Amino acid sequence: MPSFDMVSKADLQTLDNAINTVRKEITNRFDFKGSPVEIELDKKTFKLNLAAESEMKLDQVIDVLISRSMRQGLAAEVYDTGKEPFQSGKLVKKEIQIRNGIQQADAKKIVKLIKDSGLKVQAAIMDDTVRVSAKKIDDLQAVIQASKTWNLGIPLQYINMKS
């Protein structure tokens, strides 16, 4: 029975490359000369810690981060920028969570959207992935096309296509 897995994972090496590119650009920009900017990636907990002189400069760093990440092939939805920045001494800091894996609530939404699509497929939640299986590969490809129109707020990748 043909199947594939829907996942939402950020490639750690690509993410690290994007962050290094942002560091280089920030050090070369005229408006950041002489101002302290910190960009640290915690690879174990998938958190990005940013610190800048003001909230405006912090927003500029985030804009550069998102644009450079998109050029590297990462979706902008990888970064969860929902937390508010906070003052810490002379710096404004912000912690950005990097989405890695599909949360249980999002997986349930995906399964519901697949069932509501009317296609003859089965969807099952397996930890942080959603496995979709069907009798025909064409039905699986229809699910992939339909999922690209869903606005879930998370980037989806399709792996382990088996026929």
Side-chain angles (χ1 to χ4, degrees):
M1 184 174 244
S3 67
F4 72 90
D5 293 337
M6 292 176 115
V7 296
S8 178
K9 294 191 187 261
D11 181 33
L12 198 58
Q13 186 61 48
T14 308
L15 184 67
D16 197 35
N17 290 342
I19 291 170
N20 288 335
T21 307
V22 170
R23 282 189 190 120
K24 286 179 186 175
E25 182 173 332
I26 293 298
T27 56
N28 291 331
R29 280 182 53 165
F30 178 75
D31 54 342
F32 282 97
K33 291 282 185 202
S35 64
V37 175
E38 297 174 12
I39 304 171
E40 294 179 17
L41 173 64
D42 187 1
K43 295 180 182 179
K44 291 181 181 173
T45 59
F46 283 97
K47 287 187 181 177
L48 187 62
N49 295 315
L50 303 175
E53 214 172 33
S54 66
E55 210 168 316
M56 183 184 77
K57 287 192 178 184
L58 192 66
D59 290 340
Q60 288 175 346
V61 171
I62 292 170
D63 288 343
V64 171
L65 175 70
I66 290 173
S67 67
R68 293 295 174 222
S69 298
M70 290 177 72
R71 285 187 186 171
Q72 296 276 343
L74 291 172
E77 293 90 17
V78 166
Y79 303 108
D80 183 13
T81 58
K83 283 190 177 179
E84 290 296 316
F86 58 92
Q87 190 75 30
S88 176
K90 292 183 178 180
L91 297 177
V92 177
K93 294 186 175 185
K94 185 166 186 170
E95 188 177 89
I96 297 177
Q97 182 69 39
I98 298 166
R99 293 186 178 115
N100 199 22
I102 300 175
Q103 300 294 328
Q104 197 70 25
D106 292 331
K108 288 180 181 180
K109 286 181 195 174
I110 291 170
V111 169
K112 183 174 178 353
L113 288 167
I114 290 172
K115 288 184 179 181
D116 291 346
S117 68
L119 297 167
K120 294 184 179 182
V121 296
Q122 293 83 35
I125 300 171
M126 305 178 115
D127 291 332
D128 60 349
T129 64
V130 176
R131 175 154 297 161
V132 182
S133 56
K135 291 183 180 178
K136 298 180 187 175
I137 290 183
D138 294 339
D139 291 338
L140 294 178
Q141 291 172 341
V143 169
I144 291 172
Q145 291 303 316
S147 69
K148 290 181 180 178
T149 63
W150 301 335
N151 188 12
L152 297 172
I154 57 171
L156 292 175
Q157 293 91 30
Y158 314 98
I159 61 172
N160 296 339
M161 181 73 127
K162 297 175 185 165
S163 56

